Amino acid sequence: MAGGDLRSLVAVCAAVTAAMWYARFAARRLRPGLPRLAAFVPVLAVLPFLPLAFRALHPRAISGFFLAWLAEFKLLLLASGQGPLDPSLPLPAFVAIATFPVRQRDPTKNAAGSGLGPVTSAVMAALLAAIVSLYWYKERMNPYALLVLYSLHVYLALELVLACAAAAVRAVMGMDLEPQFDRPYLSAHLRDFWGRRWNLSVPAVLRPCVSRPVRARVGEGAAGVAAGVLAAFFVSGVMHELMFYYITLRPPTGEATAFFTLHGALAVAEGWWAAREGWPRPPRPVATALTLALVMSTGFWLFFPPITRPGADKVVIAESEAVVAFVRDTGIWAAASVHSALSLL
């Protein structure tokens, strides 16, 4: 990260802390509803602009996800008296839960694990570094092989970034947190992939913010369930358009919205099929392979083009290569320093 972005990081952290102090202060004095929502408007208006303080793509995109998506939705839930935020929380805990992709573990549930362990993290980091090294041969690769690498890159980088954020919150706050991913490569269908395994901080805010209100308005039957699912996927698509703006700094193309709207329709169709007793279902390994193939093929079609078309993927690769080189050089320097120290003994 350049020196300018380090200064931006300090400024953004200070602005976020001040904004969350104000939101907590307002929530303590106002009842849930329109008065609290009106008090939150200045914070809700400022948060989406803060990521633009970063020049580098990665901090801009990561802070965009944290602030313009997760924090905004959590504050909207707090305005209605719902969600993970509680104005009685100490300010550091309030800021951490509001702005980081973390979910406190429900003590009534016996969920396995709380995130990536050190060995798994090291293996995933090594795989990501190997993928970055393969980009040296990018120009000679089959385009679809390159998109497969991009897909793996997105998964590994996103899970590592979210796990690191959760680990920092866990270490500083001592919170018991739920994992952000649950082996999405084992998904048996799209509902399993998006709702139970992939980036779980997103469905954790979309369900109470979008799905349940739409379902309550339409009705509790099959039509209400379908409407809630479609609405959640549509909103996810719109928010991904914003995330892509942080990545490319280009106007939205609508392709991300189309991608998630398509997946929402397919998830509804899956649910309709699953509700039919006696209708055939593929074996679990076949279902998993079909699910991953569907996610990747539609991603090649609609998800990646808004990023690759303006050349943002080249920026991602350049920044990733710089990080890998920094880690490698730091490791070499540390090993040389240890060797020199031992030689003096």
Side-chain angles (χ1 to χ4, degrees):
M1 189 183 297
D5 275 353
L6 287 175
R7 289 189 292 272
S8 296
L9 178 61
V10 173
V12 168
C13 288
V16 169
T17 302
M20 293 306 164
W21 175 88
Y22 166 76
R24 176 173 168 268
F25 174 84
R28 283 184 161 186
R29 282 154 180 78
L30 297 171
R31 291 182 178 180
L34 286 177
R36 185 183 283 187
L37 177 61
F40 286 177
V41 166
V43 176
L44 296 172
V46 167
L47 288 179
F49 291 96
L50 294 180
L52 298 176
F54 296 103
R55 296 178 61 188
L57 184 152
H58 281 84
R60 190 169 64 239
I62 293 168
S63 62
F65 175 55
F66 288 6
L67 301 178
W69 190 339
L70 297 182
E72 292 266 315
F73 277 62
K74 290 176 184 178
L75 288 176
L76 288 173
L77 288 171
L78 178 61
S80 63
Q82 304 178 65
L85 292 176
D86 188 329
S88 65
L89 287 169
L91 181 60
F94 187 92
V95 173
I97 293 175
T99 58
F100 281 85
V102 296
R103 298 172 301 134
Q104 287 187 281
R105 188 184 299 279
D106 185 344
T108 64
K109 295 181 179 179
N110 186 24
S114 59
L116 294 179
V119 175
T120 304
S121 297
V123 170
M124 294 183 72
L127 289 174
L128 182 58
I131 289 172
V132 171
S133 68
L134 290 175
Y135 292 144
W136 285 99
Y137 310 99
K138 176 175 178 288
E139 301 303 327
R140 288 179 279 173
M141 282 187 188
N142 178 280
Y144 291 105
L146 182 61
L147 287 173
V148 170
L149 287 184
Y150 283 179
S151 302
L152 296 173
H153 186 145
V154 168
Y155 165 56
L156 293 169
L158 187 57
E159 181 156 13
L160 285 169
V161 166
L162 299 191
C164 288
V169 173
R170 189 182 298 111
V172 175
M173 303 295 172
M175 296 179 180
D176 188 16
L177 304 175
E178 295 187 2
Q180 295 81 19
F181 282 77
D182 184 14
R183 299 168 296 174
Y185 45 84
L186 297 180
S187 301
H189 43 73
L190 285 178
R191 292 167 295 138
D192 188 28
F193 183 89
W194 293 116
R196 305 186 189 104
R197 293 184 181 274
W198 180 271
N199 196 1
L200 298 175
S201 56
V202 169
V205 296
L206 286 179
R207 286 191 186 102
C209 272
V210 181
S211 296
R212 290 171 191 159
V214 170
R215 181 174 177 176
R217 180 171 291 274
V218 175
E220 291 298 322
V225 173
V229 170
L230 290 172
F233 273 91
F234 175 77
V235 171
S236 179
V238 172
M239 295 308 300
H240 276 84
E241 299 282 359
L242 178 59
M243 299 303 106
F244 285 5
Y245 173 75
Y246 289 129
I247 293 172
T248 65
L249 298 179
R250 299 288 183 90
T253 66
E255 288 162 295
T257 304
F259 174 82
F260 283 97
T261 302
L262 172 62
H263 278 235
L266 292 173
V268 170
E270 280 184 348
W272 177 82
W273 185 280
R276 277 19 186 201
E277 292 185 9
W279 285 30
R281 278 109 170 124
R284 179 61 182 262
V286 174
T288 296
L290 290 174
T291 300
L292 297 180
L294 178 61
V295 171
M296 294 180 70
S297 60
T298 53
F300 297 170
W301 173 33
L302 293 169
F303 189 87
F304 286 109
I307 298 173
T308 58
R309 193 180 299 120
D313 58 322
K314 296 180 176 63
V315 180
V316 172
I317 290 172
E319 292 184 4
S320 300
E321 288 174 343
V323 171
V324 170
F326 173 78
V327 172
R328 182 190 63 235
D329 294 344
T330 301
I332 293 173
W333 174 83
S337 299
V338 170
H339 181 269
S340 298
L342 291 176
S343 65
L344 297 175
L345 296 179

